[in-house]
């Protein structure tokens, strides 16, 4: 069974796609299901929760918001941050410095 920490990390996907009505509905269904069954989780209940999560992923896939590869990966782990691709043939000034990126993300915090 997934730990509470893993569960929280997986729910980031609902926030990432918060502009969809389905995000709210599936997040509420899953959260309610986990709360109601937390004390008595069985393999069958785990599979039910995973099924709800997979249904949401299929919705994203059908709407072309994620790729088929994302669909497969997100069933195991939904990354907190989007990947950044590095091209080693570029000069250093091609990339923003970490301080600049941090400033943009955190707004001076």
């Amino acid at each position: 069974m997934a730990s509470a920490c893993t569960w929280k990390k997986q729910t980031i996907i609902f926030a990432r796609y918060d502009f969809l009505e389905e995000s709210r509905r599936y997040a509420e269904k899953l959260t309610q299901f986990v709360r109601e069954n937390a004390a008595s989780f069985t393999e069958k209940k785990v599979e039910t929760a995973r099924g709800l999560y997979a249904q949401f992923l299929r919705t994203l896939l059908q709407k072309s918001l994620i790729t088929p590869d994302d669909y497969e990966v997100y069933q195991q782990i939904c990354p907190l941050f989007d990947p950044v691709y590095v091209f080693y043939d570029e000069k250093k000034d091609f990339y923003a410095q970490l301080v600049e990126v941090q400033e943009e993300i955190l707004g001076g915090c």
Side-chain angles (χ1 to χ4, degrees):
M1 181 169 53
S3 70
C5 185
T6 301
W7 168 250
K8 288 176 187 173
K9 288 178 184 173
Q10 288 297 92
T11 59
I12 190 70
I13 197 162
F14 299 112
R16 186 172 291 164
Y17 297 99
D18 65 347
F19 54 89
L20 293 174
E21 173 62 27
E22 293 93 338
S23 294
R24 185 186 57 74
R25 283 197 323 246
Y26 275 100
E28 287 175 1
K29 280 183 186 180
L30 261 166
T31 301
Q32 180 180 356
F33 182 81
V34 170
R35 284 185 179 147
E36 289 174 356
N37 294 284
S40 62
F41 250 69
T42 62
E43 283 295 320
K44 184 173 173 115
K45 290 178 181 179
V46 169
E47 288 305 314
T48 299
R50 286 182 179 157
L52 282 169
Y53 185 74
Q55 284 177 6
F56 178 67
L57 293 177
R58 281 192 296 277
T59 298
L60 297 178
L61 184 61
Q62 290 166 351
K63 293 178 180 281
S64 298
L65 293 169
I66 62 174
T67 66
D69 185 56
D70 291 337
Y71 172 79
E72 295 299 327
V73 171
Y74 288 3
Q75 290 193 54
Q76 301 302 315
I77 182 89
C78 177
L80 294 176
F81 304 99
D82 292 329
V84 176
Y85 300 96
V86 177
F87 302 100
Y88 290 102
D89 294 336
E90 299 293 340
K91 297 187 185 304
K92 280 186 174 182
D93 61 347
F94 177 80
Y95 296 103
Q97 294 299 307
L98 182 57
V99 173
E100 295 167 358
V101 173
Q102 200 171 2
E103 175 71 30
E104 182 180 326
I105 292 172
L106 300 175
C109 294

